[in-house]
Amino acid sequence: GRSGEARHPMSENLSPMALRLGAGTRRTDAPAGGCRQLEGAPLSRSSSNSSTRSIDELAAMDVANEVQRIASPVVAYVEGASAEAATGASFELEEAAAKLQSWCRSILRLRKAAQGLAAPAVLQALDHLFGALSPPSDGTASTPPPLVDALRDAESSETAMALTSTQEAAKAATAILLAIPRDGGLRRFNVALHGPRAFLSALLVAAQPKAILGDQHESLEGRFLRNASRMLVRAFQELAATVLDLANGPTEARAGLRLFRVRLIMVRWARRYHASAFGSWRRADAQRVAAGMLGPYAEVYATVLQAQQGGDTALADAAQERLVQVRDAIARLVGASTASSKIQEVEATVRQQIQAATSYVQETRSTASGASTGQQTASHAAAVAPSSAAADPAASPMEGASPVLSLDEALVNERLAHELILNPEFQLPALPEPPKFSAPRPHGPLLPGNAPPSREGGQEQLSQQAMLGRMQSTMQELFWQRLVNALTPTTIQGRGDISVGALVQARYGGPQGTFYEAKVTACRDDGSFDIQYTQDSVVETSVPLDNFRLADHPLDTRPLLALITEVRTRLEAATPRRPDLHATYREVLDAPLLKQMLEAGVLDLPAVVRLARFVLESVENLEAPVRADRTRVWREDFLGFIESQQAASEPSGLVRALPAFFAFVNATLDQLQRDTVNFHLRSLAPHFRGDAAVEYERQRFRMKAERRLVALSRATQWLTASIPSFCGAQEGGTETQRLALQDQASPSHTRALRGLVVHALVELVKQPIRWDSPRAAQALPETLIWDGPRLAQVRDKMDQVILTSTILVFFRQVLTASGAVPSQETCEALQHKLEWLLVQPDTNLASIQTAADKAARDATASAGRPLPENAADSLKNLVASATDPSNAVFNLFTQRAFQILTTTAAQPSTERARTSLDSDIGASGLRDFRAPLLDAAQIFQALVWHHSNVFLPLYEPIIREAARKVSSGGSITRPT
């Protein structure tokens, strides 16, 4: 210490920090009133009592530096140095101790984690997910591939998901995550983002990102989730390898523990990253799903409004119930507040669209009064054209069965008119004939065509069409089974009449549900039962007796009365201008009266026979003679069966025959409507020709555009994107064509506009898109929304020509090289075979290769020599490469075929198109394909010329503006 300073006796036991704070020392020479000396001290080292510093200087003053500046230099040196030295030493000792303790705890935790991960159950789990941790001892034992490899080799996303949905995979993931030290950083995430299911989902995404994430795998959230999933899988794979080394080596090795610690840090970071990415993906996915649900919500909301306007209370109530369900689903996805704002926007838009649609329909009805003679004829023809629901153009009757024409009906009328304009022979396809009447078997199917398929064994292979047909048959059988069960009384009096194996009628869907036949599988001690429904094998447990129909329960007449009301409504719709028949239908088919008769028990078999005879005779009187004879035969067979059941006192036979009766009546009414529609189409076809048809479609589109029922955004993008390629492909130079598109006074202006439209339509056909698919309808230009199937038909014929001609070239090439030149008959036979295969829905590459290989072997066999195997392999490889755009032969035929299509489409009539095709086809090498090329050319030529005549006045300002931007160096936005 310094001289003149005394040390306190207890100062030896104080810490340096306490010494620095002055707890154990005291200046012996300090005056007693030292504290008071500060009272008279100036605010600065100057002799003045006022401060000489400005406000800025005070704000910038460093207090620590100011204290050091004011203090005595000697005191500051001695006390500062000693205190800092003592404090630094103390801090180093305390930090070292804390570090040692932390290291010890970390080593203990690492050893505990290593021991946990090296447990046999965890090792087995790691082996199941990421691969064998040790090879077989003898080298001969085979082990199943790890889950990560199996997922990578899975053929479909369904197979991959099935692999991760097993109980073994779930147990393995749970065991691994439980063995890893807990991470406090994951607490802020939902457990669903870092639990076993999320862990397995990372394996799925890492193995099959496109299949699992779908179209959104390239989005920002999709890329994050892909990277996070791969990182998580890699981190666990490295951890598994390190655990294996620790399990096989000494656990005391410091290098092994250090590497193990690094692997755990990698896993911890990867899990946090994956949880964050997975959460972002889920939120974005919820937004996408909610946006997708807004479309169905708008449809249901429109149904509610239309039903309320039409006074259909039942439909409005049913749609309102579904509307609430969709609204709740959207709220669960994005939250109540966001959902409410989005839904309000959708509802406002729907109300506005319905108002615009109502205005459009009203103006459609009054268009003919102010139109020209030709236009008036076309408009009147459209006004009386068949109206129907959107799903089936012939589902509703003709000539305004309802005084109010809906927008859907108006648009269907316009679509049928469009088909007649492009194809005067257009007819809706005929419906299949209803089956003949056959007596229902006691335990057989209720309809003849709904018999369950028989299989001898193995897995059954079904096409998509066959699967949909089977699903439809199953739903029909369920519907008819509901009708039969509702009208079939039961003999069960109470719980004592029910035993295992007994057939009962159980209510499905709650207290207001429908009774379906079920088999009792167990009788519980509490008085409830386990049942299995006989139709779809659905199992329910603990079903109370109240859900069973007993003998004293009344029959459920609702399904029968609903069917009778539907038949009456359809008969009235088939005769819209016969109020006398309507009165007769309502008198005989009065649902309330029939309900009272059923409940009172006075609707006996003779009354049912009279009712059935009335319905069948009513249908027969409306049919054409050729169909009436069929209905008459069916009626006599059906009534004969009913009378036989009456004689045998078997009311159950009548009940089981009702599904066949109603199915036949509805099928005949469907045919009646379809025949009526086709008759009107034949009558109206002469009115939709020439200028009247062009003006009719142009006026209808303008009316819809003015009411914002349709826009031209996609059409504008389509035309704008076609201008550069059109100008570059024409003779005379790019600038000349651009000037011709811009200058209305140019003599080639109209020809250039038509040429651009032809070019743009050809480019649409070339696109690798099925234009008749539902998704493609959202990408088609608005002016071509009804022509998607026509464009797809042209593309199919062009593909058929190009692919078949390419394969025939390879076929001749391989056989010629093998010394067997194929005959013309052989090539024609293969051409017909390939053309047939290419229009079959289940054709694949293997079937085409098989057809070419068989034709080649038959040709060489007829020449007396076998086909060499190397030649057969070469033919298969060439056929496989036939659709590759880089294939020179395929590319050559593509250019030639589309050049022919472009040339013929530019002709003003089908006759000139045929002449143009015959003059060009000789040099193209496609003479053998004249028939399919002519079909495609005629379809396309009719579309091109009618489309140009209708929409060229609407396209002209769009094209001129787009050409001007191109000339001035503006950018072209291509449609996506």
Side-chain angles (χ1 to χ4, degrees):
R2 297 179 334 183
S3 61
E5 180 177 348
R7 188 173 298 273
H8 193 276
M10 298 294 296
S11 62
E12 299 294 337
N13 298 325
L14 296 178
S15 66
M17 179 64 70
L19 290 174
R20 185 178 184 186
L21 295 177
T25 59
R26 181 181 179 185
R27 298 272 182 95
T28 56
D29 56 349
C35 293
R36 297 186 180 91
Q37 294 178 2
L38 296 177
E39 295 179 359
L43 297 178
S44 67
R45 305 189 84 179
S46 63
S47 59
S48 173
N49 290 332
S50 61
S51 175
T52 60
R53 297 195 178 190
S54 65
I55 295 178
D56 293 338
E57 290 176 341
L58 289 175
M61 182 179 66
D62 191 326
V63 176
N65 292 337
E66 191 71 9
V67 171
Q68 184 177 3
R69 184 176 64 84
I70 296 175
S72 169
V74 178
V75 173
Y77 172 78
V78 175
E79 292 189 354
S82 60
E84 287 181 2
T87 304
S90 173
F91 283 169
E92 289 180 0
L93 291 177
E94 292 178 0
E95 184 178 359
K99 285 185 177 180
L100 288 176
Q101 292 176 357
S102 175
W103 288 346
C104 291
R105 287 194 296 267
S106 299
I107 293 174
L108 290 176
R109 284 197 301 268
L110 285 174
R111 289 179 177 177
K112 184 178 180 180
Q115 292 173 358
L117 286 170
V122 181
L123 288 177
Q124 186 178 2
L126 290 171
D127 179 62
H128 175 72
L129 296 185
F130 301 107
L133 298 180
S134 58
S137 57
D138 55 358
T140 60
S142 60
T143 58
L147 184 59
V148 289
D149 294 341
L151 293 176
R152 187 172 55 252
D153 299 336
E155 297 180 355
S156 64
S157 58
E158 291 79 7
T159 304
M161 289 184 179
L163 292 174
T164 57
S165 300
T166 61
Q167 188 175 5
E168 186 177 5
K171 288 183 178 180
T174 304
I176 293 174
L177 295 182
L178 289 177
I180 295 175
R182 294 184 179 181
D183 181 11
L186 292 175
R187 294 178 181 175
R188 62 188 181 92
F189 296 103
N190 191 301
V191 178
L193 300 179
H194 56 83
R197 295 294 298 176
F199 180 52
L200 292 174
S201 72
L203 274 63
L204 272 173
V205 174
Q208 303 277 350
K210 293 183 179 180
I212 301 301
L213 302 181
D215 297 337
Q216 303 298 324
H217 73 280
E218 287 295 342
S219 64
L220 180 63
E221 295 83 3
R223 292 197 299 268
F224 282 163
L225 185 57
R226 282 161 45 199
N227 294 336
S229 300
R230 292 169 182 168
M231 185 176 297
L232 185 63
V233 172
R234 181 62 183 274
F236 272 96
Q237 287 176 331
E238 297 293 339
L239 178 65
T242 305
V243 168
L244 175 63
D245 295 338
L246 290 177
N248 296 333
T251 57
E252 306 296 333
R254 293 178 57 189
L257 285 178
R258 188 177 301 141
L259 180 60
F260 178 69
R261 178 174 176 272
V262 171
R263 300 306 185 202
L264 283 180
I265 294 174
M266 290 175 57
V267 166
R268 174 175 295 183
W269 195 89
R271 291 188 70 193
R272 294 180 182 180
Y273 181 31
H274 180 264
S276 177
F278 191 30
S280 300
W281 167 264
R282 288 183 60 177
R283 288 189 296 272
D285 190 62
Q287 294 286 346
R288 286 191 294 269
V289 174
M293 290 295 293
L294 290 176
Y297 183 87
E299 295 177 1
V300 179
Y301 183 68
T303 303
V304 172
L305 295 181
Q306 293 172 355
Q308 291 175 349
Q309 292 177 359
D312 192 344
T313 306
L315 178 59
D317 293 342
Q320 184 67 38
E321 181 180 355
R322 183 57 57 88
L323 195 70
V324 173
Q325 296 175 359
V326 178
R327 184 189 296 116
D328 293 342
I330 297 175
R332 288 193 299 269
L333 287 169
V334 297
S337 59
T338 304
S340 178
S341 61
K342 295 292 184 183
I343 287 173
Q344 289 177 2
E345 295 176 4
V346 170
E347 291 178 350
T349 303
V350 170
R351 287 193 296 269
Q352 180 181 2
Q353 290 178 348
I354 289 181
Q355 293 174 358
T358 303
S359 174
Y360 172 73
V361 171
Q362 292 174 352
E363 188 167 345
T364 298
R365 284 185 170 276
S366 60
T367 300
S369 59
S372 61
T373 303
Q375 181 185 347
Q376 182 176 359
T377 303
S379 300
H380 173 70
V384 300
S387 57
S388 66
D392 185 357
S396 295
M398 305 280 296
E399 301 190 18
S402 172
V404 179
L405 181 67
S406 69
L407 178 64
D408 286 340
E409 291 171 339
L411 294 181
V412 169
N413 286 343
E414 295 175 14
R415 182 165 189 171
L416 292 177
H418 181 74
E419 296 296 333
L420 279 178
I421 292 170
L422 293 176
N423 179 17
E425 303 297 328
F426 171 74
Q427 292 279 278
L428 296 176
L431 297 175
E433 288 288 326
K436 297 180 179 180
F437 176 77
S438 60
R441 300 193 305 270
H443 299 289
L446 297 174
L447 292 181
N450 286 353
S454 59
R455 294 186 307 178
E456 296 184 357
Q459 185 176 2
E460 188 178 11
Q461 298 293 332
L462 292 176
S463 63
Q464 183 178 7
Q465 184 176 3
M467 182 64 70
L468 291 176
R470 181 171 298 184
M471 185 182 303
Q472 183 179 8
S473 298
T474 302
M475 297 304 295
Q476 289 178 354
E477 191 71 15
L478 282 171
F479 177 81
W480 296 122
Q481 189 66 49
R482 174 194 176 190
L483 172 66
V484 171
N485 290 338
L487 299 176
T488 303
T490 180
T491 58
I492 298 176
Q493 300 289 338
R495 184 176 290 104
D497 297 333
I498 303 176
S499 60
V500 175
L503 293 178
V504 298
Q505 293 184 26
R507 192 187 299 274
Y508 183 81
Q512 300 300 323
T514 305
F515 289 105
Y516 291 95
E517 186 179 67
K519 183 179 181 180
V520 177
T521 58
C523 299
R524 296 179 175 268
D525 296 336
D526 59 357
S528 62
F529 305 89
D530 296 346
I531 61 173
Q532 182 180 27
Y533 291 95
T534 57
Q535 186 62 39
D536 53 6
S537 300
V538 173
V539 176
E540 285 190 344
T541 59
S542 301
V543 179
L545 182 65
D546 295 340
N547 280 21
F548 291 169
R549 169 179 280 173
L550 303 181
D552 56 349
H553 288 178
L555 298 178
D556 186 4
T557 60
R558 292 176 299 172
L560 176 62
L561 296 178
L563 289 169
I564 292 176
T565 302
E566 180 186 4
V567 169
R568 189 204 70 203
T569 303
R570 298 193 67 182
L571 286 173
E572 292 176 358
T575 55
R577 298 179 180 178
R578 292 293 302 274
D580 55 333
L581 292 180
H582 293 185
T584 304
Y585 297 151
R586 291 180 178 273
E587 179 183 357
V588 179
L589 303 177
D590 187 4
L593 178 60
L594 293 175
K595 181 179 180 181
Q596 293 177 6
M597 297 175 67
L598 284 170
E599 292 176 350
V602 297
L603 189 64
D604 51 5
L605 280 176
V608 173
V609 170
R610 290 193 299 270
L611 187 66
R613 185 184 297 274
F614 171 80
V615 171
L616 292 172
E617 288 179 350
S618 300
V619 173
E620 180 184 340
N621 294 333
L622 297 175
E623 289 183 310
V626 64
R627 300 196 189 278
D629 294 339
R630 173 211 58 194
T631 303
R632 188 178 304 109
V633 172
W634 199 95
R635 182 191 67 203
E636 297 303 327
D637 293 343
F638 174 76
L639 295 179
F641 170 76
I642 298 302
E643 292 173 357
S644 66
Q645 296 295 303
Q646 181 180 3
S649 300
E650 287 290 340
S652 61
L654 168 63
V655 174
R656 293 188 63 82
L658 287 178
F661 170 78
F662 284 107
F664 177 81
V665 170
N666 281 288
T668 53
L669 288 175
D670 289 341
Q671 282 190 334
L672 176 64
Q673 291 178 353
R674 182 62 58 90
D675 293 342
T676 308
V677 168
N678 286 331
F679 170 77
H680 278 271
L681 290 176
R682 287 190 296 269
S683 303
L684 297 174
H687 301 288
F688 290 102
R689 293 180 181 175
D691 296 337
V694 172
E695 188 60 29
Y696 166 76
E697 289 211 314
R698 184 185 299 164
Q699 183 181 11
R700 288 295 179 272
F701 190 87
R702 279 178 173 169
M703 290 168 58
K704 287 181 285 189
E706 290 172 358
R707 285 155 182 79
R708 298 184 179 180
L709 298 175
V710 67
L712 283 172
S713 56
R714 296 197 301 269
T716 302
Q717 289 185 352
W718 165 56
L719 293 170
T720 304
S722 302
I723 290 177
S725 58
F726 168 72
C727 294
Q730 302 300 309
E731 297 180 359
T734 301
E735 191 62 27
T736 302
Q737 294 300 324
R738 289 176 181 169
L739 293 176
L741 293 175
Q742 296 178 63
D743 188 5
Q744 290 179 289
S746 173
S748 59
H749 179 65
T750 302
R751 185 173 63 254
L753 293 177
R754 286 187 176 273
L756 174 63
V757 173
V758 173
H759 174 77
L761 286 168
V762 172
E763 292 299 313
L764 272 184
V765 175
K766 288 182 179 180
Q767 294 296 320
I769 301 174
R770 286 293 312 182
W771 289 117
D772 54 351
S773 63
R775 293 183 60 186
Q778 305 299 321
L780 270 173
E782 296 86 352
T783 52
L784 288 164
I785 197 65
W786 290 333
D787 295 307
R790 193 169 284 103
L791 294 173
Q793 185 181 7
V794 174
R795 176 58 187 264
D796 288 343
K797 291 183 178 297
M798 299 299 291
D799 288 343
Q800 180 183 359
V801 169
I802 296 169
L803 185 59
T804 304
S805 59
T806 304
I807 294 175
L808 284 176
V809 169
F810 294 152
F811 178 76
R812 293 189 181 98
Q813 174 184 338
V814 170
L815 289 187
T816 303
S818 302
V821 180
S823 63
Q824 183 67 22
E825 293 77 10
T826 301
C827 293
E828 289 179 356
L830 178 59
Q831 176 182 339
H832 296 327
K833 179 67 174 178
L834 292 175
E835 289 175 350
W836 179 84
L837 282 174
L838 290 175
V839 297
Q840 303 305 311
D842 54 348
T843 297
N844 53 24
L845 177 61
S847 58
I848 297 177
Q849 289 175 324
T850 301
D853 181 76
K854 184 178 183 303
R857 294 184 186 276
D858 292 343
T860 54
S862 62
R865 63 182 67 186
L867 181 68
E869 289 302 322
N870 59 344
D873 295 338
S874 176
L875 179 59
K876 289 183 179 180
N877 294 332
L878 289 172
V879 170
S881 66
T883 58
D884 188 353
S886 62
N887 187 296
V889 179
F890 178 83
N891 192 23
L892 176 64
F893 281 123
T894 299
Q895 294 178 359
R896 291 179 177 179
F898 276 100
Q899 181 60 42
I900 292 175
L901 183 69
T902 304
T903 304
T904 54
Q907 305 304 318
S909 65
T910 55
E911 292 76 11
R912 293 186 60 177
R914 185 184 301 107
T915 303
S916 174
L917 184 142
D918 290 336
S919 63
D920 296 339
I921 199 172
S924 65
L926 298 172
R927 185 179 297 276
D928 295 335
F929 301 91
R930 181 183 181 278
L933 278 176
L934 182 59
D935 290 343
Q938 290 178 338
I939 296 172
F940 196 60
Q941 188 273 340
L943 170 63
V944 167
W945 271 88
H946 177 71
H947 188 83
S948 300
N949 291 335
V950 173
F951 295 108
L952 208 58
L954 298 177
Y955 288 165
E956 183 180 10
I958 298 174
I959 295 173
R960 285 194 290 106
E961 178 65 19
R964 185 189 61 80
K965 290 182 178 180
V966 172
S967 299
S968 61
S971 60
I972 296 295
T973 302
R974 296 190 175 273
T976 57

